[in-house]
Amino acid sequence: MSLRYALLGLLAKKSSTGYELHQQFKEKLVYFWNVHHTQIYRELNKMEKDELVTSETIQQETHPDKKIYTLTPGGTKDLIHWLMQSSIPSAHIKDEFLVRVAGFPLISADEAIRLLEQVKRREQRHYDMTRKWREAHFPKEGPPPYELIGEYMTSEYGLIYSRSYIEWCDWAISVMETIRAKG
């Protein structure tokens, strides 16, 4: 997936500034897409040149001017084409912590356990934050209105992902404790 389609998808729901789009990434897409704000602005500029979005500059007296980006009909068409393409590549895991885990033989079991506990706390915070967000946005049981189904499904993925990562951390800590006990 490219950043372009993530941005088009967000803009299909609501015209937004680059800052608002970055906030939405941190709030709604944290489990499956990570982006730096400079990447967002760079891609928005490309998308504007490609006539997938337009922008309107809003002048503000007490703050810097802001640009509000809006999806064009061409942007909608491009997004739908991407959504419906038959080839969906397999998911790729890119987790820096797992690279660190591969290096555990270079550190003590105690140090490895400390790192695992740190990551487990991080995932617990993500889980709690996502659960709180989901409860605020989807307070009723059962599926939401169709226009919100993407956020509903991806937030559930985020909860499942965090629970799984927490369970994996517990398992890995147990393995490291067994290794430490054997001395």
Side-chain angles (χ1 to χ4, degrees), residues 152-170:
Y152 180 75
M153 288 183 166
T154 56
S155 64
E156 180 65 18
Y157 175 86
L159 292 171
I160 292 169
Y161 178 86
S162 276
R163 282 193 306 262
S164 176
Y165 212 120
I166 291 165
E167 288 174 16
W168 176 83
C169 284
D170 286 337

Side-chain angles (χ1 to χ4, degrees), residues 18 45 105 115:
N45 287 330
L115 288 172

